[in-house]
């Protein structure tokens, strides 16, 4: 058992250690360092000198222990003082001069992809007409992608929509139309929605085709809906997008899930309908941007909506293709080459 004297001695030494640590953290210049050295090591009144004096008060058997404690403290003080000295001697970091006349470093903020920007512009127009925006899966079942939309198995219309199959019954959706079914299964009329998303087809890339592209589906179902509503809404939409002067034409077409059906073309904005060799419109002066039609009664039956009571219309718009015209781009493939010089031009807002 150490004597009370030795214990007090140990506590005093611990207190000095703490003091040393606290004070050395504050040392910024050689003068303060000298003061610290003096305070701890001065021959006359330094803490170590005082402790050495006190050694005399210990009984002979405790003296060596007490002596070791003082020595350990002394070593610690010396090490610390040396380290502080070295730190103060190290060359000061050069002050960074700031030249206010230099141009600033411009950092590039990310922007939404042009297709995304354009999709939002389209959504805004439909939102302003009271539509809401919905979503659906990119991997679809055969039932939603085809069967519920009135494409029976082996129907030749399926050939136009060839895609990647994951299993016999699962595929990458070929259009956004399956989301019509998903919405009508859950929601009863009145329905007024748009559904944007990625679609996939076995298409060879060229200036106006890509194997993956974006569509925006529209669907309106209510009592008394007619083809006039379809025509009026799409005309209004396209004029908001391209300006009042845009030329639009409705062309009879076929889709298994609409009857009657129409494709909608706009004048070719790439050549202004003037170039007989135009790579975009093939010299016709027109370019198809969407398919549309009155919802086929069979589709309503598939989702338990009474076709005697309700009618509706739908459309599917190619977002990339329409964006190509809106932005005056000659090739849709630019959108997905990820060349930042191209992408960065669209930070419009
Ligand atoms: N889903 C059709 C397509 O991808 C477009 C379409 C949608 C046609 C809705 C009519 C109604 O070509």
């Amino acid at each position: 058992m150490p004597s009370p004297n030795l214990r007090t001695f140990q506590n005093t030494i611990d207190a000095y250690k703490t003091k040393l640590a606290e004070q050395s953290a504050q040392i910024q210049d050689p003068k303060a360092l000298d003061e610290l050295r003096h305070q701890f090591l001065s021959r006359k009144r330094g803490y170590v000198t005082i402790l050495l004096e006190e050694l005399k008060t210990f009984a002979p058997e405790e003296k060596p222990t007490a002596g070791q404690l003082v020595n350990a403290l002394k070593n610690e003080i010396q090490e610390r003082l040396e380290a502080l000295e070295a730190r103060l001697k190290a060359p000061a970091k050069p002050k960074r001069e700031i030249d206010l006349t230099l141009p600033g470093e411009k950092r590039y903020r990310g922007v939404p992809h042009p297709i995304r920007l354009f999709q939002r512009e389209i959504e805004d127009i439909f939102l302003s007409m009271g539509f809401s925006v919905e979503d659906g899966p990119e991997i679809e079942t055969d039932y939603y992608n085809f069967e519920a939309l009135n494409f029976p198995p082996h129907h030749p219309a399926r050939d136009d929509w060839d895609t990647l199959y994951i299993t016999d019954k699962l595929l990458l959706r070929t259009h956004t139309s399956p989301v019509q079914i998903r919405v009508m299964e859950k929601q009863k009329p009145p329905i007024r929605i748009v559904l944007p998303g990625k679609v996939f087809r076995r298409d060879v890339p060229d200036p106006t085709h890509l194997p993956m592209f974006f569509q925006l589906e529209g669907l309106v179902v209510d009592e008394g809906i007619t083809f006039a509503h379809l025509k009026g809404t799409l005309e209004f939409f396209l004029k908001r997008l391209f300006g009042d002067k845009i030329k639009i034409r409705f062309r009879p077409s076929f889709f298994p899930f609409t009857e009657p059906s129409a494709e909608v073309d706009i004048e070719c904005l790439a050549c202004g309908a003037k170039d007989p060799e135009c790579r975009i419109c093939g010299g016709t002066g027109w370019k198809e941007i969407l398919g549309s039609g009155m919802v086929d009664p069979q589709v309503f039956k598939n989702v338990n909506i009474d076709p005697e009571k309700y009618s509706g219309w739908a459309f599917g718009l190619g977002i990339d293709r329409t964006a190509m015209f809106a932005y005056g781009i000659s090739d849709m493939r630019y959108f997905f080459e990820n060349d930042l010089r191209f992408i960065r031009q669209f930070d419009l807002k």
Side-chain angles (χ1 to χ4, degrees):
M1 271 289 279
S3 68
N5 196 8
L6 185 60
R7 249 182 286 141
T8 318
F9 196 68
Q10 167 86 68
N11 288 344
T12 312
I13 286 180
D14 287 346
Y16 284 150
K17 285 188 181 169
T18 316
K19 198 168 175 162
L20 176 71
E22 280 170 8
Q23 296 200 356
S24 46
Q26 319 240 333
I27 302 289
Q28 297 292 353
D29 56 73
K31 194 168 158 252
L33 180 60
D34 270 349
E35 276 164 23
L36 186 71
R37 190 193 313 274
H38 192 74
Q39 190 184 4
F40 280 85
L41 296 181
S42 147
R43 291 255 161 80
K44 266 194 191 159
R45 275 176 299 114
Y47 300 140
V48 173
T49 309
I50 296 168
L51 290 167
L52 288 171
E53 288 286 314
E54 272 184 44
L55 276 184
K56 291 176 194 152
T57 64
F58 284 96
E61 64 275 17
E62 276 191 339
K63 227 179 229 168
T65 320
Q68 274 168 18
L69 289 173
V70 183
N71 267 333
L73 174 67
K74 199 173 163 186
N75 288 341
E76 192 174 325
I77 296 169
Q78 263 155 357
E79 269 168 33
R80 240 182 227 266
L81 291 174
E82 270 164 37
L84 284 169
E85 211 169 326
R87 203 188 73 199
L88 289 179
K89 271 197 198 137
K93 273 193 204 142
K95 262 203 194 135
R96 224 176 130 196
E97 300 269 332
I98 296 175
D99 181 351
L100 294 173
T101 63
L102 283 175
E105 282 172 30
K106 236 193 195 165
R107 296 220 183 143
Y108 178 66
R109 282 185 309 117
V111 287
H113 189 276
I115 296 292
R116 180 72 76 211
L117 282 172
F118 191 62
Q119 179 187 317
R120 275 194 210 147
E121 226 172 281
I122 298 174
E123 284 173 11
D124 281 347
I125 299 175
F126 281 98
L127 286 169
S128 79
M129 290 192 273
F131 283 68
S132 54
V133 181
E134 297 267 348
D135 203 6
E138 287 168 11
I139 296 179
E140 261 305 358
T141 62
D142 183 273
Y143 176 76
Y144 285 105
N145 196 79
F146 291 125
E147 243 172 277
L149 288 165
N150 212 18
F151 290 80
H154 312 298
H155 191 281
R158 286 189 179 211
D159 293 349
D160 293 337
W161 276 276
D162 198 4
T163 183
L164 278 172
Y165 280 76
I166 289 150
T167 66
D168 279 355
K169 293 277 165 211
L170 278 183
L171 52 113
L172 294 182
R173 68 178 176 193
T174 59
H175 50 180
T176 42
S177 301
V179 196
Q180 285 187 35
I181 304 294
R182 289 183 178 275
V183 167
M184 287 191 285
E185 278 178 347
K186 276 194 296 210
Q187 210 174 306
K188 292 303 151 202
I191 295 171
R192 223 180 289 137
I193 45 160
V194 285
L195 323 142
K198 283 193 189 106
V199 300
F200 307 82
R201 286 189 198 171
R202 199 190 62 102
D203 268 341
V204 178
D206 71 19
T208 60
H209 292 88
L210 290 167
M212 186 284 294
F213 59 103
F214 286 82
Q215 278 192 336
L216 180 113
E217 190 86 7
L219 175 69
V220 171
V221 185
D222 205 347
E223 288 178 52
I225 298 289
T226 70
F227 199 90
H229 296 119
L230 181 164
K231 214 171 163 225
T233 311
L234 290 179
E235 235 180 88
F236 175 85
F237 158 65
L238 290 171
K239 287 188 169 164
R240 280 283 292 277
L241 204 55
F242 289 104
D244 278 347
K245 294 214 178 74
I246 187 74
K247 286 200 192 107
I248 304 162
R249 94 177 167 183
F250 285 74
R251 195 162 34 78
S253 185
F254 170 79
F255 298 101
F257 41 94
T258 48
E259 183 61 37
S261 305
E263 279 175 288
V264 175
D265 303 338
I266 57 171
E267 60 182 308
C268 178
L269 296 173
C271 70
K274 287 193 183 78
D275 179 3
E277 319 242 298
C278 177
R279 280 166 77 222
I280 306 298
C281 67
T284 61
W286 295 99
K287 192 70 192 171
E288 181 229 324
I289 55 165
L290 66 86
S292 66
M294 300 306 291
V295 179
D296 193 293
Q298 185 57 47
V299 172
F300 280 140
K301 283 184 202 150
N302 294 345
V303 291
N304 287 324
I305 289 180
D306 180 1
E308 297 299 324
K309 185 164 176 211
Y310 294 106
S311 55
W313 54 267
F315 73 92
L317 168 83
I319 297 182
D320 321 53
R321 200 179 265 195
T322 314
M324 187 171 91
F325 289 121
Y327 292 147
I329 290 156
S330 56
D331 194 318
M332 242 162 66
R333 289 171 292 190
Y334 289 138
F335 284 128
F336 300 104
E337 280 174 352
N338 289 336
D339 183 337
L340 288 178
R341 290 169 303 177
F342 176 80
I343 303 275
R344 283 176 187 170
Q345 300 174 71
F346 297 90
D347 192 3
L348 302 173
K349 285 168 197 160

